[in-house]
């Protein structure tokens, strides 16, 4: 395994982070525990969850993922061996109304932290993240920002940071981060932190993969100049970059077979780009999964690459990608495809 530190801290984290959003839906508690055991044995010490998980969100399963992590921590006593990251939902919507409808206002953050600590069976969370912005903006695959006349959100970056600071002072969380955030929101958080001496956002968890390199625009500069590490999610583009869908080898419990509405990476352009990337990988004696994950991991703005798997076989391949470093020749060939079919998933 390779390691780095969370920006501006001495917390050592593995360059591969174990994503967990299928646990409690596609994966059982036993399977979740097996993945945790295997990942830890392979040197992965960074685990990411969220109060909303598993995905798709539902009242019946909400919080199940973190409960699975909690029972594993209780059983093994490995709390001191892992770095735990979790998230609070942002702007409330129909599919999260069962969690809360108050957004990040009032006591929402305190209540969310306390509930998550109970599920995780721990006294503290190492990295606590805002899952997505509370304002209406272009997240989750929406290409362009368009102002919404119905957006009644009021600037509350300072209020959010103050609420998070209380949780830090109470010892319930150690550090904070963002997720699905844009350049403007990231810089507003930085501004409030600097001007009012409030806690600083250390990381940003956004989608990033061969099919979605939007982060390389404004956010890459923000990340590098402000030292905000990217925790890259969906590096395999919902499994599309395993090539199992274009090869017809996807299992019946594959994500896009179970949940076809998650079509962000299923366009004709995505399929065309994936076929081209597959050829590059095969020409260089790699699997497409190995090449796709190695590409993400070695980017200078990436702190950790969040991988997820529904089987131990997938998990092994994903973790083993840490051994791959892409040559300039491979990177140049990847960029030729990217120039021809840029960001087909957005």
């Amino acid at each position: 395994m390779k390691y780095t530190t969370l920006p501006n801290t001495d917390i050592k984290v593995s360059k591969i982070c174990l994503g967990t959003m299928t646990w409690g839906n596609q994966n059982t508690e036993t399977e979740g525990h097996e993945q945790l055991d295997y990942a830890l044995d392979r040197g992965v010490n960074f685990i990411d969850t969220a109060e909303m998980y598993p995905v798709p969100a539902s009242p019946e399963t909400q919080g199940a993922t973190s409960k699975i992590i909690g029972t594993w921590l209780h059983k093994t006593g490995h709390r001191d061996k892992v770095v735990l990251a979790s998230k609070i939902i942002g702007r409330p919507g129909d599919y999260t109304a069962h969690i809360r409808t108050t957004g990040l206002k009032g006591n929402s953050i305190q209540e969310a932290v306390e509930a998550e600590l109970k599920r995780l069976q721990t006294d503290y969370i190492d990295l606590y993240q805002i899952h997505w912005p509370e304002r209406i903006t272009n997240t989750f695959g929406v290409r362009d920002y368009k102002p919404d006349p119905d957006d009644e959100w009021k600037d509350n970056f300072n209020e959010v940071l103050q609420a998070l600071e209380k949780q830090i002072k109470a010892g319930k969380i150690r550090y904070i981060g963002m997720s699905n955030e844009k350049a403007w929101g990231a810089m507003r958080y930085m501004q409030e932190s600097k001007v009012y001496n409030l806690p600083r956002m250390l990381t940003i968890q956004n989608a990033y993969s061969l099919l979605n390199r939007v982060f390389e625009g404004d956010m890459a500069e923000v990340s590098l100049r402000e030292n905000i590490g990217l925790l890259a999610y969906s590096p395999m583009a919902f499994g599309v970059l395993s090539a199992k869908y274009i090869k017809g080898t996807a299992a019946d419990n594959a994500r896009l077979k179970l949940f076809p509405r998650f079509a962000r990476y299923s366009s004709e352009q995505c399929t065309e780009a994936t076929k081209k990337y597959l050829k590059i990988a095969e020409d260089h004696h790699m699997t497409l999964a190995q090449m796709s994950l190695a590409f993400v991991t070695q980017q200078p703005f990436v702190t950790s690459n969040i991988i997820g798997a529904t089987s131990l076989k997938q998990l092994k391949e994903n973790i083993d990608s840490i051994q791959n470093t892409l040559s300039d020749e491979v990177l140049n060939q990847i960029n030729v495809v990217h120039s021809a079919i840029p960001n087909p998933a957005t």
Side-chain angles (χ1 to χ4, degrees), residues 96-132:
T96 59
H98 58 281
I99 303 176
R100 78 181 56 81
T101 59
T102 53
L104 304 174
K105 300 175 181 63
N107 295 323
S108 296
I109 289 175
Q110 177 180 336
E111 292 170 359
V113 168
E114 290 175 351
E116 185 69 343
L117 288 173
K118 184 176 181 180
R119 286 187 287 264
L120 290 168
Q121 299 192 47
T122 185
D123 296 327
Y124 67 97
I125 296 167
D126 295 288
L127 179 68
Y128 198 63
Q129 306 152 97
I130 306 300
H131 206 152
W132 59 85

Side-chain angles (χ1 to χ4, degrees), residues 18 94 215:
L18 182 60
D94 292 342
F215 193 88

Side-chain angles (χ1 to χ4, degrees), residues 214-262:
V214 172
F215 193 88
E216 293 177 20
D218 292 347
M219 279 310 308
E221 182 176 14
V222 171
S223 172
L224 291 168
R225 292 191 184 277
E226 297 291 331
N227 196 23
I228 305 170
L230 174 62
L231 308 180
Y233 79 79
S234 289
M236 291 287 290
F238 292 170
V240 168
L241 288 170
S242 68
K244 62 187 176 184
Y245 295 107
I246 59 176
K247 287 184 174 182
T249 59
D252 290 339
N253 68 338
R255 189 157 193 78
L256 292 181
K257 284 194 173 183
L258 291 177
F259 313 115
R261 67 181 182 275
F262 293 151

Side-chain angles (χ1 to χ4, degrees), residues 127-144:
L127 179 68
Y128 198 63
Q129 306 152 97
I130 306 300
H131 206 152
W132 59 85
E134 195 171 17
R135 66 191 187 280
I136 297 176
T137 188
N138 52 317
T139 55
F140 299 114
V142 178
R143 185 180 294 271
D144 300 317

Side-chain angles (χ1 to χ4, degrees), residues 322-340:
I322 196 67
Q323 305 302 325
N324 295 89
T325 300
L326 304 185
S327 66
D328 288 342
E329 180 184 3
V330 172
L331 291 172
N332 288 337
Q333 291 177 12
I334 285 173
N335 284 330
V336 168
V337 177
H338 178 61
S339 296

